[in-house]
């Protein structure tokens, strides 16, 4: 969704004027605002919310030609009203970091290195492992005292994570886990 | 949070204990400062003088793990001095209900304890029930010695300010000052975080908060409440979506082995929650779930009732070779789990580890850990590149239960994919592998509804979560819901399978066919209290302040002198207000039983000072409970116990040193317990403003590494002098489980405390480092203990014993 840029930016002078003002010795904050505008000319805005603590501070992503050119606190947000903390303010660097993992990687048993895989190879490996483990560890029934209960589960598959995910991912993650038959479905709530 | 972030501005006093909000929930300060400008008082209770302490009106230094001793004395002072809200207590809590005579506490142990099992038989922790109605008998006044209120008073009478000082280190006079400051400025709010929960008495720490706030009438009011400042962006939503071993469909208990049918489960869990379970089963299995086949009950996996399915159970089972495949998404246990050397051994025994991440983390590369031999580790590892939040769409739920939509702004780098797409693909692949199977074990995969569109997948899933009308429904008011419509709220959910909702507490997030999480009205606030009902959507039912019925008296009128939130409109015969009224039925007035259930999610419908064992009988279905109440495994009242590793004997009852329900070590040889003789200092750990949790993300951001380049240990000045350590010197910190070398920060922020007549030095470390990322360093969690709270399964990372010695070279160089 595109939202309209906030009014104060609309009211500031255009980029070229900003440079002219700088030459005339105007305040740094005005120049910053104006050069910010230059950078954001033609940018599309997308609203999101920060991904560190659980305050849920609103953020605005500014995107030009598919590139994230700026990320800042959302001034029209009811929790943070435009402000961000040191971590939130540093978020842009996470998207453009060259340290991101960009392709599926595999480490064979006993190996000391990663090797690249295609998504198809990686997910095929994973799906087959799920099936193998599920089939070889299935507990159909369980005895407690004199009663044999149907339990239909495996205790050999663990799912860990969710606090970094969206609600929709969490919902499917849990649904998938239980449908596979595991109750080892857990996330960072305690950690 | 019972309340929400912007509501903090409405408080007149803050008790912040177990949270360094100024660093770890920075934006809370925006609203806390607003309240402070209007005269609100801030009380900060913490073992470390940190940035939150620096803005507090009262700072109390407390020993890690001694919170119940301190809070017990605050509660006792409120009771002894009559500072409680007697009318609220009588109306909205179980104070007047009669408890069983045989209930008692002796030498720190409640009645019914089985030492061999570390468990209680809880039968005596109950009410005296009326034989005919099976409802609790009620006393005429709070002075009745058999009533809950009298039991509460007797229980906490031992917690004098002097006892609190001896155990916790908070001076007796300060205990009284805090109790009076908090009680005499209302509404008052309590903020806490992992500082309160990461203990072997975590649940009972929070029970103290519930009791204190009920006594003061602070629950259900603007500026009041018990507010958990949760640690991760969507830890609230992950809990709501039941990414917790014990839950399904939104805080509904998952079935155990002895629940082979929905009816067997209902006998333990009640008819009220059965309705939501049926809606969940309909969401998962669609038309395949029918009344005739128990709505597909047999397709749910049943837990072994005696087995530990928490993350600690996972690690223990991995170490035992039982857990074969571990799949971690955005979680980095090789930094954040306690007792890390043991975690490493456990991961090394897995067949396969799958890590879905932005970065190559300590968990993904655990086989590269310094000191490990990759050749000896036979675990296969897959590292799947995931998209970050600005690269995908969907909702998250913050601490205040605000469900917000995020738009995808940019594409993920390289071949990275959104977790939603990865999960969807893997499920379909596994289902395909089982295509044509006639084995009953594979039925859940074939019978589940799983056909999300490739475009707008997240919104389609949110629709399933929020709920649909499946066949025509006529509501009590005559309104007809047509099949295919989205459910408008919890009240529209049906017990017979004619509606569905994947998580009933989110019912209505798509009300009227619109995605309400996308709403953006940050201007309209009729309450003037910061509620903004048209901004995104809050569960349940866009309710901003839970239990708000308690803000009214018996007649449904706001308590005198309080800010009106909701009220009974006698003319319109309806509960109304500036917030969604928290009542079972908005048309049932104060003259009806439904109009007097301010705490309607309890069996009793009222707040529980004593967490008694209770199931409310169903009036229509004889022999089945309507709903039950939660009773902690370790007692109906909070009792103080020392941490598993503690430098002192339990002052209250030396025979019951620790929580009697904690079984530790669980795995002999892997969970050693240190003593003060070898490890004389108390260590507490926490996060910092510049790095966050495992640091997987923040340690890959250069700016943040410049702000906080490495892990340190903060030592009290007196201790550093004794050890002949100066700031910047390297020291070796060790516990019974591991050791590491870090630089020392010598500071008055930490102190040597006087506890039970002994000097107890307390040291602090952040836990955000590991061997991967731009900024690397040893992980503090090699030191910490993985003993857990018996009910919550939360580890005691806030209190363990360590030793600190200078590293020889550093001293020699001086």
């Amino acid at each position: 969704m595109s939202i309209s840029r906030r009014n104060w930016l609309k009211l500031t002078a255009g980029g070229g004027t900003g440079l002219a003002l700088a030459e005339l010795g105007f305040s740094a904050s005005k120049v910053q605002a104006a050069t910010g505008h230059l950078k954001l000319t033609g940018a599309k805005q997308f609203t999101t919310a920060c991904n560190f603590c659980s305050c849920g501070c609103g953020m605005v992503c500014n995107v030009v030609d598919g590139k994230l050119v700026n990320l800042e606190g959302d001034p029209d947000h009811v929790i943070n009203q435009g402000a961000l903390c040191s971590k939130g303010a540093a978020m842009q660097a996470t998207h453009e970091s060259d340290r991101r993992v960009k392709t599926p990687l595999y480490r064979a048993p006993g190996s000391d290195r990663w090797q690249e895989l295609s998504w198809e190879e990686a997910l095929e490996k994973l799906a087959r492992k799920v099936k193998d483990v599920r089939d070889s560890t299935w507990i159909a029934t369980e005895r407690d005292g004199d009663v044999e209960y149907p339990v239909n589960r495996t205790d050999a598959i663990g799912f860990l994570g969710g606090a970094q995910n969206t609600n929709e991912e969490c919902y499917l993650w849990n649904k998938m886990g239980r449908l596979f038959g595991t109750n080892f479905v857990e996330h960072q709530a305690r950690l | 949070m019972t309340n929400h972030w912007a509501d903090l501005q409405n408080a007149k006093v803050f008790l912040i204990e177990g949270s360094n909000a100024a660093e770890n929930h920075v934006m809370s300060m925006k609203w806390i400062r607003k309240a402070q400008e209007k005269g609100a008082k801030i009380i900060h209770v913490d073992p470390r003088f940190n940035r939150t302490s620096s803005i507090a009106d009262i700072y109390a230094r407390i020993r890690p793990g001694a919170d119940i001793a301190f809070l017990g004395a605050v509660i006792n002072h409120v009771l002894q001095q009559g500072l409680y809200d007697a009318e609220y207590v009588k109306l909205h809590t179980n104070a007047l209900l009669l408890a069983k005579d045989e209930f008692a506490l002796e030498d720190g142990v409640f009645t019914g304890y089985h030492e061999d099992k570390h468990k209680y038989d809880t039968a005596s922790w109950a009410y005296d029930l009326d034989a005919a109605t099976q409802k609790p008998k009620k006393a005429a006044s709070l002075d009745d010695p058999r009533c809950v209120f009298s039991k509460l008073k007797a229980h906490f009478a031992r917690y004098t300010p002097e006892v609190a000082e001896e155990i916790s280190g908070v001076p007796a006079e300060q205990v009284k000052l805090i109790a009076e400051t908090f009680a005499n400025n209302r509404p008052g709010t309590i903020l806490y975080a992992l500082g309160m929960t990461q203990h072997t008495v975590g649940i009972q720490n929070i029970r103290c908060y519930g009791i204190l706030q009920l006594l003061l009438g602070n629950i259900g009011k603007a500026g009041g409440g018990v507010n958990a400042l949760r640690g991760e962006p969507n830890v609230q939503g992950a809990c709501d979506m039941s990414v917790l071993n014990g839950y399904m469909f939104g805080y509904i208990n998952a079935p155990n082995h002895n629940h082979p049918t929905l009816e067997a489960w209902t006998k333990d869990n009640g008819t009220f929650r059965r309705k939501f379970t049926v809606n969940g089963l309909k969401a998962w299995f669609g038309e395949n779930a029918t009344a005739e086949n128990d709505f597909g009950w047999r397709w749910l996996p049943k837990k072994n009732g005696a087995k530990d399915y928490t993350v600690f159970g996972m690690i223990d089972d991995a170490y035992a070779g039982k857990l074969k495949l571990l799949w971690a998404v955005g979680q980095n246990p090789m930094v954040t789990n306690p007792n890390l050397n043991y975690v490493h051994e456990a991961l090394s025994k897995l067949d396969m580890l799958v890590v879905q991440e932005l970065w190559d983390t300590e968990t993904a590369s655990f086989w590269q850990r310094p000191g490990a031999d990759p050749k000896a580790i036979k675990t296969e590892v897959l590292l799947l590149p995931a998209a970050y939040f600005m690269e995908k769409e969907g909702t998250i739920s913050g601490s205040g239960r605000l469900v917000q939509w995020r738009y995808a702004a940019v594409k993920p780098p390289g071949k990275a994919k959104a977790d939603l797409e990865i999960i969807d693909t893997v499920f379909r692949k596994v289902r395909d592998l089982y295509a044509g199977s006639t084995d009953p074990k594979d039925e859940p995969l074939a019978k589940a509804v799983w056909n999300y569109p490739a475009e707008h997948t997240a919104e389609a899933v949110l629709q399933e979560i929020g709920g649909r009308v499946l066949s025509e429904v006529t509501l009590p008011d005559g309104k007809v819901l047509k099949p295919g419509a989205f459910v408008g709220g919890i009240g529209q959910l049906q017990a017979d399978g004619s509606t569905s909702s994947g998580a009933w507490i989110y019912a209505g997030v798509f009300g009227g066919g619109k995605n309400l999480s996308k709403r953006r009205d940050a201007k309209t606030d009729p309450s003037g209290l910061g509620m903004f009902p048209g901004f995104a959507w809050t569960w349940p039912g866009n309710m901003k302040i839970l239990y708000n019925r308690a803000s009214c008296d018996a007649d449904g009128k706001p308590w005198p002198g309080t800010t009106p939130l909701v009220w009974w409109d006698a003319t319109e015969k309806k509960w109304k207000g500036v917030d969604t009224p928290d009542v079972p039925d908005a048309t049932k007035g104060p003259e009806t039983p439904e109009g007097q259930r301010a705490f309607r999610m309890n069996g009793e419908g009222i707040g529980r000072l004593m967490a008694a064992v209770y199931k409310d009988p169903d009036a229509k279905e004889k022999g089945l409970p309507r709903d039950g109440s939660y009773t902690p495994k370790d007692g109906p009242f909070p009792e103080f116990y020392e941490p598993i590793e503690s430098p002192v004997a339990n002052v209250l009852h030396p025979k019951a040193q620790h929580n009697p329900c904690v079984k530790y070590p669980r795995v002999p040889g892997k969970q050693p317990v240190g003593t003060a003789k070898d490890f004389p200092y108390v260590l507490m750990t926490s996060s910092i403003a510049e790095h966050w949790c495992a640091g997987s993300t923040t340690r890959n951001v250069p700016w943040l590494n410049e702000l906080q380049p490495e892990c340190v240990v903060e030592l009290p000045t007196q201790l550093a002098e004794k050890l002949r350590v100066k700031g910047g010197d390297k020291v070796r910190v060790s516990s019974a489980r591991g050791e590491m070398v870090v630089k020392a920060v010598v500071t008055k922020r930490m102190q040597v405390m006087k506890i039970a007549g002994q000097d107890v030095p307390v040291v602090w470390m952040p836990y955000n480092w590991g061997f991967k990322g731009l900024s690397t360093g040893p992980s503090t969690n090699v030191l910490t203990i993985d003993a857990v709270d018996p009910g919550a399964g939360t580890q005691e990372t806030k209190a363990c014993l360590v030793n600190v010695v200078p590293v020889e070279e550093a001293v020699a160089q001086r």
Side-chain angles (χ1 to χ4, degrees), chain A residues 52 54 99 106 135 168 190, chain B residues 230 233 380 395 399 700 792:
Chain A
F52 284 123
S54 64
R99 301 187 59 83
Y106 174 70
D135 289 350
E168 295 73 26
R190 302 170 181 88
Chain B
R230 310 211 57 184
E380 281 186 290
T395 59
S399 279
N700 276 311

Side-chain angles (χ1 to χ4, degrees), chain A residues 52 61-71 88 90-102, chain B residues 358-359 386-392 408-414 416 697 700-702:
Chain A
F52 284 123
C61 300
N62 288 276
V63 178
V64 177
D65 297 333
K67 292 224 175 337
L68 183 65
V69 295
N70 191 46
L71 195 159
M91 273 290 190
Q92 189 177 339
T94 61
H95 167 67
E96 53 200 33
S97 171
D98 59 6
R99 301 187 59 83
R100 289 279 296 272
V101 185
K102 290 173 186 162
Chain B
L358 309 175
W359 323 96
Y388 207 20
F389 71 104
M390 70 286 270
E391 302 154 6
K392 63 185 185 185
V410 279
K411 293 216 170 351
T697 297
N700 276 311
V701 175

Side-chain angles (χ1 to χ4, degrees), chain B residues 420-490:
Chain B
L420 197 69
E421 187 185 340
I422 303 172
I423 292 167
D424 184 38
T425 310
V426 173
F427 180 83
R428 288 168 193 261
K429 275 186 178 293
V430 173
R431 186 172 58 184
D432 287 351
L433 291 175
Y434 283 108
S437 167
T438 52
D439 190 333
K441 93 175 200 304
D442 306 329
E443 273 185 21
L445 299 164
K447 299 293 184 184
V449 176
W450 194 299
N451 48 12
Y452 307 101
E455 294 289 314
H456 306 297
T457 318
E459 204 149 49
V461 177
L462 187 62
Q463 289 169 350
E464 179 175 319
I465 294 168
R468 289 189 174 88
V469 180
L470 305 175
S471 49
E472 189 168 295
V473 171
T474 307
L475 298 174
D477 64 1
K479 192 179 168 193
V480 176
L481 306 178
K482 292 288 180 194
F486 294 103
V487 164
I490 297 168

Side-chain angles (χ1 to χ4, degrees), chain B residues 318-369:
Chain B
Y319 179 74
K322 295 181 197 160
L323 190 84
K324 308 286 184 191
L325 167 63
L326 178 62
W327 184 353
V329 175
Q331 184 161 352
N332 191 356
M334 271 311 298
V335 176
T336 56
N337 262 54
N339 196 5
L340 273 182
N341 292 333
Y342 168 56
V343 177
H344 188 264
E345 284 191 61
L347 296 187
S348 305
K349 295 195 174 191
L350 291 167
D351 280 7
M352 183 187 270
L353 172 70
V354 184
V355 177
Q356 212 160 296
E357 259 295 354
L358 309 175
W359 323 96
D360 181 0
T361 64
E362 290 78 1
T363 298
S365 275
F366 79 97
W367 44 277
Q368 294 181 25
R369 190 189 195 215

Side-chain angles (χ1 to χ4, degrees), chain A:
Chain A
M1 181 191 75
S2 294
I3 60 158
S4 63
R5 183 77 182 148
R6 58 192 196 253
N7 290 335
W8 68 264
L9 257 183
K10 279 186 192 156
L11 295 171
T12 53
T17 321
L19 291 171
L21 290 174
E23 283 158 19
L24 292 168
F26 278 82
S27 75
S29 61
K30 277 188 184 165
V31 175
Q32 275 162 8
T35 51
H37 189 203
L38 180 68
K39 187 164 82 171
L40 302 180
T41 302
K44 263 188 163 174
Q45 281 88 37
F46 299 85
T47 54
T48 184
C50 181
N51 206 60
F52 284 123
C53 79
S54 64
C55 286
C57 294
M59 290 176 155
V60 182
C61 300
N62 288 276
V63 178
V64 177
D65 297 333
K67 292 224 175 337
L68 183 65
V69 295
N70 191 46
L71 195 159
E72 63 189 352
D74 180 351
D76 299 320
H77 197 277
V78 297
I79 292 169
N80 59 316
Q81 298 177 333
L84 290 176
C85 74
S86 54
K87 292 186 290 288
M91 273 290 190
Q92 189 177 339
T94 61
H95 167 67
E96 53 200 33
S97 171
D98 59 6
R99 301 187 59 83
R100 289 279 296 272
V101 185
K102 290 173 186 162
T103 186
L105 297 173
Y106 174 70
R107 182 261 179 187
S111 168
D112 63 354
R113 68 202 61 208
W114 291 112
Q115 63 189 79
E116 289 194 4
L117 286 184
S118 70
W119 271 108
E120 181 57 29
E121 288 168 318
L123 297 189
E124 193 64 27
K125 232 181 226 303
L126 172 52
R128 292 209 170 269
K129 189 72 192 174
V130 168
K131 182 171 188 299
D132 289 350
V133 172
R134 196 175 173 272
D135 289 350
S136 61
T137 61
W138 193 256
I139 307 169
T141 63
E142 193 164 61
R143 181 166 284 277
D144 183 357
D146 296 333
V147 188
E148 189 82 21
Y149 291 103
V151 292
N152 290 322
R153 66 159 201 270
T154 169
D155 288 337
I157 300 175
F159 277 24
L160 201 53
Q164 288 290 298
N165 294 95
T166 64
N167 287 319
E168 295 73 26
E169 289 164 349
C170 288
Y171 177 80
L172 286 197
W173 178 234
N174 177 56
K175 182 175 174 180
M176 175 170 71
R178 311 284 171 159
L179 290 175
F180 286 170
T182 184
N183 287 299
F184 274 127
V185 179
E186 280 281 283
H187 76 288
Q188 298 92 324
R190 302 170 181 88
L191 294 156

Side-chain angles (χ1 to χ4, degrees), chain B residues 94 131 402 501 515 535 556 589 621:
Chain B
N94 64 355
L402 187 73
S501 174
N515 183 345
F535 190 94
E621 297 185 60

Side-chain angles (χ1 to χ4, degrees), chain B residues 71-86:
Chain B
L71 287 169
V74 169
I75 290 168
N76 188 30
H77 196 68
V78 164
L79 289 168
Q80 298 299 331
Q81 300 299 314
L83 301 176
Y84 51 87
D85 182 339

Side-chain angles (χ1 to χ4, degrees), chain B residues 527-548:
Chain B
S527 68
L529 295 168
M531 290 188 179
F532 299 100
F535 190 94
W537 184 83
T538 297
W539 75 260
N542 214 27
M543 187 186 297
K544 305 295 174 180
I545 297 177
L546 297 177
Y547 314 110
N548 59 36

